Amino acid sequence: QVQLVESGGGWVQPGGSLRLSCVASGFDFSSYNMGWYRQASTNERELVAQITFNGGSTDYADSVKDRFTISRDNVKNIVYLQMNFLKPEDTAVYYCNAPSRIWSWAQGTQVTVSS
């Protein structure tokens, strides 16, 4: 069955960096656009970054543009999110998924940005 396993979250001070990873299995990963989503405690889940199936194109929410970079490895079936210049408002649980399919949500990985 489809599995999405996110990791790499943690606590970081404002201005710091984290790299998230999502290992995918159970579907033809290289055929799907993938995205990173986040959900803060009081907000709805939002799509913050997405990448096409072949990695040729990316798109970002305005709130993370120029700070976050999404990438993927279609050999290892992993999608990454490099997060730089983190802000307290980036605090959330981060999830990966395929925007066109939306498999069952995994546990995500918690990112906390505070001093």
Side-chain angles (χ1 to χ4, degrees), residues 19-96:
R19 188 194 196 202
L20 307 184
S21 300
C22 170
V23 179
S25 61
F27 64 103
D28 186 7
F29 179 78
S30 62
S31 294
Y32 284 87
N33 296 354
M34 293 296 294
W36 278 98
Y37 298 75
R38 69 184 181 189
Q39 184 170 25
S41 58
T42 58
N43 295 343
E44 294 184 353
R45 190 176 283 128
E46 62 169 334
L47 178 64
V48 297
Q50 56 184 317
I51 186 167
T52 53
F53 66 98
N54 61 356
S57 181
T58 58
D59 194 26
Y60 300 92
D62 288 342
S63 58
V64 307
K65 199 169 292 184
D66 299 325
R67 298 188 299 121
F68 290 10
T69 302
I70 188 171
S71 61
R72 67 189 296 160
D73 184 331
N74 282 352
V75 174
K76 297 181 179 178
N77 286 8
I78 301 176
V79 58
Y80 302 100
L81 186 68
Q82 178 66 44
M83 306 186 297
N84 298 328
F85 306 109
L86 282 160
K87 304 175 181 180
E89 51 263 44
D90 295 319
T91 296
V93 180
Y94 284 72
Y95 306 85
C96 69

